[in-house]
Amino acid sequence: MPRKKSSDFQISGDNNNALFTLKAHRGEGMLLLAMNWKNGKPPADFVGFSIEYREPGGNRFYALKNRITFLDKNGKVGSSQSSLQAPFQKFRWVHFPRNADMKGNFRYRVKPAFMNDKDELSYGEIQEVDIVLQRETYPRKLNVGFTRGFVSSQAFVDKYEKNGGIQSLLPSEAKQGLDFKPTHPKAKEALQWMGFEAVEEILGLLDKAIEDKTAQVRVVAYDLNEPEVVNRLIQLGNRVKIIIDDKNTKGDSDHGDADSAESIAAEKLMKSTNGNVKRQHLGNLQHNKTIIVDGKKLNAVVCGSTNFSWRGFYVQANNAVVIQGARAIKPFLDAFDNYWKSDSVSDFGNTASAIWNDLRLNTIDAKVSFSPHTSANALLDSIADDMQNNTQSNLFYSLAFLYQTEGAIKGAIKKLTGSDQIFVYGISDKKVGGIELQKPDGNVLPVYPSQLSGNLPEPFKLEPAGGSGVRMHHKFVVIDFDKPTARVYFGSHNFSPTADTKNGENLLLIRDRKIAVAYMIEALRLFDHYHFRVSTKENKEKGKPFALKKPPRKTGEKAWWEEYYDDKRKVRDREMFA
């Protein structure tokens, strides 16, 4: 049965008899399902949506589970249940299907659930969609990958907290990284799950470079303490040239210390590459995280926010983008050569690498610029101007260090957050001061991981923090994902004056709706993850377990869905994605 679609990454259900609409948005190894009631408001006995899915070529449907359930007759919460018994009381849901890289259509089946006065459930007409979730965003051109970034999650507690937990999976200090070996009995499975597609892409690119004996490899690294990466670089011998950060910052980066993992890795690579190693920090940091492979079989580069470290791979929320093609990697090769020759901000900032360079990807409008810039070619003001004056519908952002970022970008976010016309969701790694709302029922302040409550109500369990340091490490801004003008800014660049005019950085601008939707879903699932913690904390403080709401049965009680029709932000949320 055909399904309506506006593209290959956004598919709508077409059952006219169903009481609600359904729209699926393709992400990277995940998808967003968005529902909305067709006519007016739902009835009072509507208690949520059940979601089932079938894998390509499969012959059965699997029901998604809901950790939140109805209270039993004794007022107690139960364990996770099928959404057929514990429907989702939300108008959208992000799902990570098993085997998301399977070829062919995944079919999703959604139906509304109703509850009578005897607590019996019944269901309405279904909506179904078929959508392809193959991992590669644009095959043989560009692929967006994310780490899972969910160490601080109930899923991690369920899967891996036993047998030593996080301490048996990750080193306690960065300088121990090169020698650390996990002792957890499920270490291989756990690390693959935590690193998700981003780590797979980075290590896979190095493996392909090893296989292609003609490939020359150029690397620029900030953190470098992950042995899987370093060992592969050593295998490549003198086909590698590498630049490694050597800046020391009190209480932060100690890359220049003799006993740092970066210094030890540099010493090993000096031997294996016959001296093709340079230590560098330019005006402040050499903050790039890029690997370029230039060979007969493959021309590709990986860039983004993912450091080549244990935390970068397995704790933090990060992105890694692989771009293919000889023309596409040339600006990265040129930038590497310019970094290698430069010893100061002015040396590099006056090269052609410090302006926008077209990646010349057929059908994808993409360009890259490298920092540090000079005052004459700095980019922050123009990006802020684009955000403030050209955003038509929505802004999603995930910006580590926004809390300490002064200047144009924070100003643009402050203005848009206070707008009645623009829908804004954002996340930073720490509480952001200086952004105040003009209206209490409009957009919300950026959420941050420390809002995750360690003292959670039933049925939730204590979650690990994943060690000290940043947990949300993305640096991206998505503008108007639902418009033809959709675009994403991303890279290693922290959107700060320091990143713009002192650090070595990469910053990309891609105008493409499929890629914008993928980044939007990543921003949304992180926003939901941490924003939910505010609700759980409030419930704990009120002494309430976290449970599904039954239909109103007493005067003054409200249905679970009424806030999605009364609260301005939730009304916009319900309508935006469906």
Side-chain angles (χ1 to χ4, degrees):
M1 185 176 181
R3 304 284 175 252
K4 293 185 296 183
K5 64 179 181 178
S6 58
S7 63
D8 65 339
F9 57 91
Q10 292 179 315
I11 316 290
S12 296
D14 61 359
N15 184 355
N16 294 326
N17 295 323
L19 297 169
F20 66 101
T21 62
L22 173 65
K23 190 171 185 177
H25 306 258
R26 177 199 176 275
E28 296 298 329
M30 54 185 149
L31 85 160
L32 167 65
L33 293 169
M35 293 74 72
N36 197 8
W37 213 254
K38 284 183 178 178
N39 300 310
K41 297 180 180 180
D45 62 347
F46 168 57
V47 289
F49 295 99
S50 70
I51 302 175
E52 302 168 87
Y53 78 105
R54 188 179 71 195
E55 294 177 339
N59 58 11
R60 64 188 63 185
F61 281 86
Y62 299 93
L64 273 59
K65 288 188 175 182
N66 192 355
R67 190 175 296 276
I68 304 172
T69 63
F70 293 108
L71 296 179
D72 64 20
K73 61 183 179 181
N74 298 314
K76 300 293 185 181
V77 296
S79 57
S80 297
Q81 290 184 359
S82 159
S83 59
L84 292 168
Q85 284 76 49
F88 297 108
Q89 291 188 338
K90 292 191 69 171
F91 283 90
R92 54 176 172 75
W93 194 256
V94 174
H95 180 227
F96 291 82
R98 295 178 298 180
N99 305 318
D101 54 349
M102 291 179 70
K103 294 182 179 179
N105 286 319
F106 283 78
R107 174 166 290 191
Y108 281 82
R109 173 187 291 171
V110 181
K111 54 189 175 186
F114 306 90
M115 179 179 280
N116 65 16
D117 58 3
K118 296 180 181 179
D119 291 352
E120 296 169 333
L121 292 172
S122 59
Y123 307 92
E125 285 264 2
I126 67 171
Q127 287 278 21
E128 290 187 323
V129 289
D130 294 329
I131 188 166
V132 175
L133 295 176
Q134 62 192 31
R135 288 285 183 88
E136 206 167 1
T137 315
Y138 285 107
R140 296 175 298 281
K141 289 184 183 178
L142 185 149
N143 190 33
V144 180
F146 297 108
T147 60
R148 195 175 288 268
F150 262 17
V151 163
S152 299
S153 72
Q154 293 293 297
F156 181 87
V157 174
D158 290 345
K159 287 175 175 285
Y160 308 116
E161 191 58 23
K162 294 180 181 178
N163 300 308
I166 195 71
Q167 293 80 12
S168 64
L169 289 168
L170 303 172
S172 58
E173 294 183 31
K175 63 175 60 179
Q176 300 169 352
L178 293 178
D179 296 320
F180 179 80
K181 294 182 180 180
T183 58
H184 196 288
K186 293 184 178 179
K188 183 177 180 181
E189 174 190 290
L191 295 176
Q192 185 177 24
W193 182 80
M194 293 154 69
F196 205 43
E197 190 179 3
V199 173
E200 181 182 315
E201 288 293 334
I202 292 169
L203 297 181
L205 184 62
L206 288 172
D207 287 338
K208 290 175 184 176
I210 292 169
E211 181 182 332
D212 181 0
K213 302 303 181 184
T214 70
Q216 294 293 311
V217 178
R218 302 292 179 260
V219 180
V220 189
Y222 178 62
D223 288 340
L224 186 61
N225 66 45
E226 211 293 322
E228 293 282 345
V229 173
V230 174
N231 291 340
R232 283 167 168 79
L233 294 176
I234 290 171
Q235 287 183 58
L236 284 160
N238 62 7
R239 292 193 280 139
V240 173
K241 288 181 76 172
I242 184 169
I243 299 170
I244 306 172
D245 179 71
D246 64 352
K247 176 68 174 179
N248 281 343
T249 304
K250 288 184 179 179
D252 187 13
S253 169
D254 58 354
H255 294 167
D257 287 354
D259 63 345
S260 72
E262 289 70 27
S263 293
I264 294 170
E267 186 177 345
K268 291 181 178 181
L269 289 164
M270 281 290 287
K271 295 176 181 178
S272 64
T273 65
N274 291 331
N276 288 336
V277 178
K278 180 170 184 174
R279 305 301 300 274
Q280 183 182 68
H281 60 263
L282 296 167
N284 188 49
L285 305 173
Q286 178 44 276
H287 197 242
N288 273 282
K289 312 99 172 41
T290 57
I291 299 172
I292 315 161
V293 177
D294 185 18
K296 288 184 178 179
K297 295 181 180 178
L298 180 66
N299 306 106
V301 60
V302 63
C303 57
S305 69
T306 308
N307 281 308
F308 311 132
S309 67
W310 285 94
R311 288 189 62 81
F313 275 19
Y314 304 118
V315 175
Q316 297 168 340
N318 274 311
N319 63 90
V321 176
V322 176
I323 301 167
Q324 295 187 45
R327 296 189 303 180
I329 71 168
K330 189 175 187 306
F332 290 88
L333 288 169
D334 291 344
F336 181 91
D337 290 341
N338 288 326
Y339 281 130
W340 193 268
K341 292 183 290 187
S342 297
D343 293 311
S344 69
V345 169
S346 59
D347 286 347
F348 186 86
N350 286 303
T351 68
S353 297
I355 61 173
W356 285 117
N357 288 266
D358 194 329
L359 295 182
R360 301 172 71 188
L361 289 167
N362 291 335
T363 72
I364 304 174
D365 183 352
K367 52 187 180 180
V368 64
S369 179
F370 299 88
S371 298
H373 301 107
T374 65
S375 57
N377 57 26
L379 292 176
L380 272 190
D381 287 346
S382 64
I383 296 170
D385 181 71
D386 185 25
M387 292 167 62
Q388 284 190 157
N389 300 318
N390 299 323
T391 301
Q392 303 173 39
S393 175
N394 51 75
L395 175 78
F396 293 81
Y397 62 87
S398 192
L399 295 172
F401 311 112
L402 178 63
Y403 72 97
Q404 66 183 29
T405 298
E406 298 301 329
I409 297 300
K410 186 184 281 187
I413 289 174
K414 180 177 180 179
K415 178 181 177 181
L416 293 170
T417 302
S419 170
D420 278 338
Q421 307 302 315
I422 307 300
F423 183 91
V424 180
Y425 275 170
I427 182 170
S428 175
D429 66 303
K430 290 186 181 179
K431 184 176 182 179
V432 180
I435 298 180
E436 296 179 357
L437 302 184
Q438 295 177 359
K439 296 178 176 62
D441 58 353
N443 294 314
V444 296
L445 294 172
V447 298
Y448 52 96
S450 22
Q451 282 176 294
L452 185 149
S453 171
N455 194 14
L456 300 170
E458 294 182 50
F460 297 92
K461 304 170 187 175
L462 184 65
E463 299 171 352
S468 61
V470 173
R471 276 179 269 169
M472 197 295 298
H473 193 248
H474 283 305
K475 306 97 169 38
F476 69 78
V477 173
V478 184
I479 301 173
D480 293 339
F481 82 90
D482 56 345
K483 302 287 184 185
T485 53
R487 55 207 180 276
V488 186
Y489 291 94
F490 70 92
S492 67
H493 195 290
N494 279 314
F495 294 84
S496 67
T498 299
D500 207 28
T501 59
K502 292 184 179 180
N503 293 351
E505 308 274 9
N506 62 82
L507 177 66
L508 290 89
L509 168 58
I510 297 184
R511 300 178 183 274
D512 181 273
R513 279 198 66 205
K514 189 174 187 178
I515 293 169
V517 166
Y519 272 95
M520 177 276 291
I521 294 173
E522 172 70 0
L524 188 65
R525 67 107 180 171
L526 287 170
F527 180 90
D528 284 350
H529 181 65
Y530 292 112
H531 193 260
F532 176 70
R533 290 307 183 267
V534 179
S535 298
T536 56
K537 183 178 181 181
E538 289 172 353
N539 266 44
K540 181 68 177 181
E541 290 170 351
K542 294 175 183 177
K544 294 181 179 180
F546 215 84
L548 296 177
K549 289 185 70 173
K550 295 180 180 180
R553 289 165 181 167
K554 297 178 181 178
T555 303
E557 286 185 342
K558 291 186 175 183
W560 71 270
W561 48 260
E562 290 192 42
E563 62 184 342
Y564 288 91
Y565 288 82
D566 297 337
D567 181 288
K568 183 177 179 180
R569 177 183 66 84
K570 292 190 175 183
V571 170
R572 296 167 77 185
D573 186 304
R574 174 174 54 82
E575 296 172 344
M576 173 69 63
F577 307 102

